[in-house]
Amino acid sequence: MLEWCGKAKVEWHYTAPGKPTQNAFVESFNGRMRDELLNETLFTSMAHVREKIAAWVDDYNTRRPHSSLGYTTPAAFAADLKKQGAASLRIA
């Protein structure tokens, strides 16, 4: 990762130890995934892992409204942004 950052000229920053709030969105997502999927499922194979994670991600992104997105799903929010972007290109 560090090699790629150097080549892409991307500045790399570490989250300080004991400071998960520096990356609150990821910490929130990780907590939800851990509580709702990983702690609740006994996986039997890598195929089973992939199947369960894909289903959970689909639910998280397409069926579950998020308060931070005005109680819309991430998929609906992204579609609205895409429409707004297309509309702004037509106006200009």
Side-chain angles (χ1 to χ4, degrees):
M1 182 61 146
L2 292 176
E3 182 180 329
W4 175 86
C5 285
K7 287 179 184 177
K9 296 184 170 75
V10 172
E11 202 170 323
W12 180 263
H13 295 279
Y14 289 97
T15 300
K19 301 284 186 183
T21 55
Q22 291 177 347
N23 204 355
F25 292 110
V26 171
E27 291 296 323
S28 175
F29 174 82
N30 287 346
R32 281 184 184 15
M33 183 178 224
R34 188 172 37 256
D35 290 344
E36 298 172 10
L37 175 69
L38 302 177
N39 290 345
E40 299 294 323
T41 311
L42 180 60
F43 300 107
T44 57
S45 67
M46 284 304 293
H48 187 225
V49 170
R50 289 183 181 106
E51 174 191 332
K52 291 295 186 180
I53 288 176
W56 188 87
V57 167
D58 181 61
D59 177 67
Y60 187 85
N61 288 323
T62 62
R63 293 180 189 90
R64 184 186 305 191
H66 295 239
S67 61
S68 63
L69 302 176
Y71 294 96
T72 63
T73 65
F77 187 81
D80 286 345
L81 284 179
K82 190 174 181 179
K83 279 192 252 180
Q84 289 172 15
S88 69
L89 290 175
R90 284 192 297 261
I91 292 169

